[in-house]
Amino acid sequence: MSKAREVNKEINEYLRELHLPAIRGCFEEKARQAERETLGYEHYLLELVERECQQRRDHRITRLLQASKLPLEKTMDNFDRKLLPVKAARQVKALLDGTFLDRRENVLAFGNPGSGKTHLLSALGQELIRQGRRVAFSTCVRLVQDLLRAKKDLRLSRAIKKLAYYEALV
């Protein structure tokens, strides 16, 4: 076995032990690229670490989206913002930055049935998750039923703690 293969095998074992799957998947390719382009060690390491961080961010967003129970088909891309009054459109734009969560402010949406409240709030929740925020979705009826069931089973404090984990409840 060549020296390079031995070294690569050893690196692979260390990366597996350190739980760095993105780096493990691309370090050889990036090493060859760095050698071809005569890049320094710092640049090579920067690319590897950036890839690992991006993959971790992507996996975290995927996990948060699944845990949120948001209807994933209701996104900002397929929401017609032209249907919103001008004032509401400005408010939505302000909500997208997520600072209202830092201030612990409530947001209430009112409107006729079928006017897009759930769609808009689901889309807002997804955008907040993409910023790394923890969001949960529930209908009001289901939330009340879950809390009543938890109270009956003497698990109310645990259910409330679970809800407190989220930064936003839609």
Side-chain angles (χ1 to χ4, degrees), residues 1-165:
M1 189 183 289
S2 74
K3 183 71 172 166
R5 280 190 182 169
E6 284 180 34
V7 169
N8 285 345
K9 184 178 177 186
E10 198 171 330
I11 290 171
N12 230 330
E13 289 172 15
Y14 283 126
L15 292 173
R16 183 175 293 116
E17 191 175 319
L18 292 171
H19 306 288
L20 299 170
I23 291 176
R24 194 172 76 233
C26 72
F27 80 93
E28 290 180 76
E29 169 200 332
K30 290 293 182 185
R32 283 192 292 277
Q33 178 187 352
E35 197 173 20
R36 275 193 313 272
E37 298 174 11
T38 62
L39 301 174
Y41 292 116
E42 294 87 358
H43 188 76
Y44 166 68
L45 284 173
L46 177 64
E47 284 197 28
L48 289 177
V49 172
E50 282 176 341
R51 173 94 50 108
E52 184 70 36
C53 286
Q54 186 58 48
Q55 187 179 47
R56 286 179 182 216
R57 267 187 235 107
D58 293 345
H59 283 135
R60 182 170 193 265
I61 289 169
T62 301
R63 270 193 327 273
L64 288 173
L65 281 169
Q66 288 173 346
S68 73
K69 298 180 183 162
L70 283 163
L72 299 179
E73 68 280 358
K74 296 181 179 190
T75 65
M76 278 297 184
D77 292 338
N78 60 21
F79 180 77
D80 189 4
R81 292 189 197 192
K82 294 174 187 157
L83 297 176
L84 291 174
V86 176
K87 185 177 178 183
R90 272 197 307 266
Q91 288 172 328
V92 167
K93 192 174 181 181
L95 292 173
L96 285 170
D97 69 7
T99 56
F100 73 98
L101 294 174
D102 299 327
R103 295 186 304 269
R104 308 255 193 280
E105 293 177 348
N106 293 320
V107 175
L108 302 175
F110 297 96
N112 293 325
S115 61
K117 297 177 301 293
T118 302
H119 189 141
L120 178 61
L121 294 174
S122 296
L124 175 63
Q126 289 181 44
E127 294 300 317
L128 293 170
I129 287 173
R130 286 188 180 82
Q131 295 172 19
R133 305 293 196 137
R134 294 182 307 272
V135 177
F137 176 84
S138 177
T139 63
C140 189
V141 171
R142 187 174 65 199
L143 179 63
V144 170
Q145 287 175 346
D146 289 347
L147 290 173
L148 287 172
R149 191 176 310 111
K151 181 181 177 187
K152 179 182 165 205
D153 297 341
L154 304 175
R155 296 181 295 108
L156 185 59
S157 61
R158 192 177 319 149
I160 290 173
K161 273 185 186 176
K162 187 177 176 183
L163 287 174
Y165 166 79

